[in-house]
Amino acid sequence: MSSFFKSIGKTWQNLGFLPRIVVGIVIGAVLAIVCPGVTWIGMLGKVFVEALKAIAPLLVFVLVMSSLAQHEEGTETNVGEIVGLYILGMLMACLVAVTMNYAFLPTLVFTGGGQSVSAPGSVDEVLRNLFINMVTNPVKAIADGNYIGILFWAIVIGLALRKASAISKQVSREIADCISLVINWVVSCTPYGVIGLIFNALVEKGFSIFFVYGQLLCIIVGCMLIVALVANPILAFWKMKRNPFPLVFLCLKESGITAFFTRSSAANIPINMSICERLGLDKSTYSISIPLGATINMEGSAIKIAILSLAAANTLGITVEVPSALLLCVIATISACGTSGVPSGALLLLPLSCGLFGITTDIAMQVVATGFIIDVVQDAFGTALNSSADVLFTAAVDLGNRRTPKKKTTSGD
């Protein structure tokens, strides 16, 4: 008997992260059918959400502060243009997400109480609350989960740390690494948390929740397809001044398909570097822009943050005005850039965007938990979009800045 359980444990350890989540979903559904009265099963989900709620504020503060402190000035001009495209790409991805939200009005399923929340009365009220929350005491902001204040003070202290000694910067980097490690430990418990979350949702709401998750996934994946086939080609054409689709399809085929299965932008860096080399791009540019893109170019994450935040607002009956939605695009872009090195790190920054609409941390963490469930499918599409865009934008800037022989011959004729 002991050998049987050992073999099961070994098989579980050998499974990848996403397959474990799939197994957790199945187990949670089966337990909800077989023994819906065993309430302690649902505690797994509640403990998981509470752990996320405890560590996420500290993660945001330390990660943003450290990344700003480590920033080095004097990068190549072309790299600056590529970074600009990365940011524009994420902003356009958010705009696509906002448009899809107004078209389909996706919703979520919340379990338990605490769903009552008062919507902001106007955009002026949103901005007023934003500025008040920004300048709150940083320690209080971390304790209360005030992500607007956390982000503001992390930026201020991070910029100040640029003037600090190399030893101080190294300390901030090591602290960020330690917090990231703790987050990895918490995230590694996701499959067990998913068992409790699915159990609770099915017992309270029934199997209709799978329709909600399916609708949400279709909207998110639809946004990603629009960005990959419409928005990104528009940006590439703007830089190249030529038909971008041969390059777009090449990037999707050679970079996107591989990233879809590896689900890791970092693991796809060698493949993207090889594509850039075959395209004859400037090595001094792509050797910086490709690793940088794997870190900050997160269009998939920006879409996920925007859609989930808006879906939470729709569920709670909060009317999101266009100016507030545009402000969400900026916050989602900043959040997506700040998720490097943490698995599903974009989900942990959802309370920041949810807070824009007055959504409490308790509810926001339920949104995070929903994100972990749909991440089983979404993560593959998001990584494919991110990785292919790294090559696309790098090539678009490099090729667009070259003086081609065709222009010389045309002028000579």
Side-chain angles (χ1 to χ4, degrees):
M1 183 65 74
S2 62
S3 60
F4 172 74
F5 286 112
K6 284 182 181 178
S7 63
I8 291 178
K10 188 174 181 181
T11 303
W12 177 259
Q13 291 299 324
N14 291 334
L15 282 177
F17 182 68
L18 292 175
R20 289 187 198 178
I21 295 180
V22 173
V23 173
I25 292 172
V26 173
I27 293 175
V30 171
L31 290 175
I33 297 171
V34 176
C35 48
V38 184
T39 55
W40 64 263
I41 298 173
M43 283 298 296
L44 292 172
K46 293 178 181 178
V47 169
F48 175 65
V49 170
E50 287 299 315
L52 288 175
K53 190 164 64 176
I55 195 64
L58 195 57
L59 169 74
V60 175
F61 182 78
V62 173
L63 203 63
V64 174
M65 179 186 68
S66 176
S67 62
L68 284 173
Q70 311 305 324
H71 176 75
E72 295 182 4
E73 299 178 356
T75 54
E76 183 130 355
T77 305
N78 278 1
V79 174
E81 290 184 52
I82 295 168
V83 171
L85 274 189
Y86 288 162
I87 294 172
L88 279 175
M90 286 186 285
L91 284 171
M92 288 187 69
C94 289
L95 288 173
V96 170
V98 167
T99 303
M100 291 286 276
N101 169 74
Y102 286 132
F104 296 100
L105 295 176
T107 57
L108 302 174
V109 175
F110 294 133
T111 59
Q115 297 184 31
S116 61
V117 61
S118 58
S122 64
V123 178
D124 289 342
E125 185 180 343
V126 170
L127 293 175
R128 226 176 10 250
N129 292 336
L130 184 68
F131 287 117
I132 292 173
N133 288 333
M134 275 173 54
V135 295
T136 192
N137 182 292
V139 176
K140 186 176 185 296
I142 293 173
D144 295 344
N146 172 10
Y147 285 83
I148 301 295
I150 291 168
L151 185 64
F152 174 76
W153 288 113
I155 291 173
V156 171
I157 296 174
L159 291 174
L161 277 175
R162 285 188 182 181
K163 306 295 183 182
S165 65
I167 295 176
S168 298
K169 291 181 180 180
Q170 179 64 23
V171 169
S172 72
R173 180 186 302 159
E174 290 177 357
I175 292 174
D177 290 342
C178 290
I179 297 298
S180 296
L181 180 59
V182 173
I183 282 290
N184 286 335
W185 291 341
V186 175
V187 170
S188 67
C189 297
T190 298
Y192 309 104
V194 164
I195 292 174
L197 293 167
I198 290 293
F199 179 88
N200 283 335
L202 288 177
V203 168
E204 292 186 21
K205 305 292 183 180
F207 279 84
S208 61
I209 63 164
F210 288 113
F211 173 77
V212 175
Y213 292 150
Q215 182 193 40
L216 202 60
L217 264 176
C218 288
I219 292 173
I220 291 176
V221 172
C223 288
M224 292 178 181
L225 292 175
I226 292 172
V227 170
L229 299 175
V230 180
N232 285 352
I234 289 173
L235 290 175
F237 174 77
W238 174 56
K239 295 303 296 184
M240 297 168 59
K241 301 297 189 292
R242 69 184 77 167
N243 179 12
F245 283 101
L247 180 61
V248 169
F249 292 134
L250 182 145
C251 293
L252 288 172
K253 175 186 170 185
E254 299 195 18
S255 176
I257 291 177
T258 307
F260 182 91
F261 291 103
T262 63
R263 294 186 176 95
S264 171
S265 294
N268 228 42
I269 288 175
I271 294 170
N272 286 351
M273 300 273 271
S274 175
I275 296 171
C276 291
E277 184 178 0
R278 282 188 281 111
L279 289 173
L281 306 183
D282 183 3
K283 187 174 182 179
S284 64
T285 296
Y286 73 72
S287 62
I288 298 174
S289 67
I290 293 300
L292 187 62
T295 303
I296 68 169
N297 184 32
M298 300 291 168
E299 291 179 324
S301 296
I303 290 171
K304 179 166 55 180
I305 291 171
I307 288 292
L308 287 173
S309 302
L310 291 168
N314 296 336
T315 305
L316 298 170
I318 299 173
T319 301
V320 179
E321 299 176 5
V322 173
S324 297
L326 295 177
L327 185 58
L328 171 65
C329 291
V330 176
I331 291 177
T333 297
I334 295 172
S335 299
C337 287
T339 59
S340 61
V342 180
S344 300
L347 296 174
L348 302 177
L349 297 180
L350 272 168
L352 177 63
S353 53
C354 287
L356 179 65
F357 307 122
I359 298 173
T360 63
T361 303
D362 287 338
I363 296 177
M365 282 304 169
Q366 291 196 49
V367 182
V368 172
T370 300
F372 274 112
I373 293 171
I374 66 170
D375 225 33
V376 173
V377 177
Q378 179 277 329
D379 186 58
F381 285 94
T383 307
L385 173 62
N386 297 338
S387 187
S388 61
D390 294 345
V391 183
L392 176 64
F393 292 154
T394 296
V397 170
D398 191 293
L399 297 174
N401 287 342
R402 293 182 183 182
R403 292 183 178 180
T404 61
K406 288 183 179 180
K407 289 185 177 180
K408 294 183 180 179
T409 54
T410 303
S411 60
D413 293 341

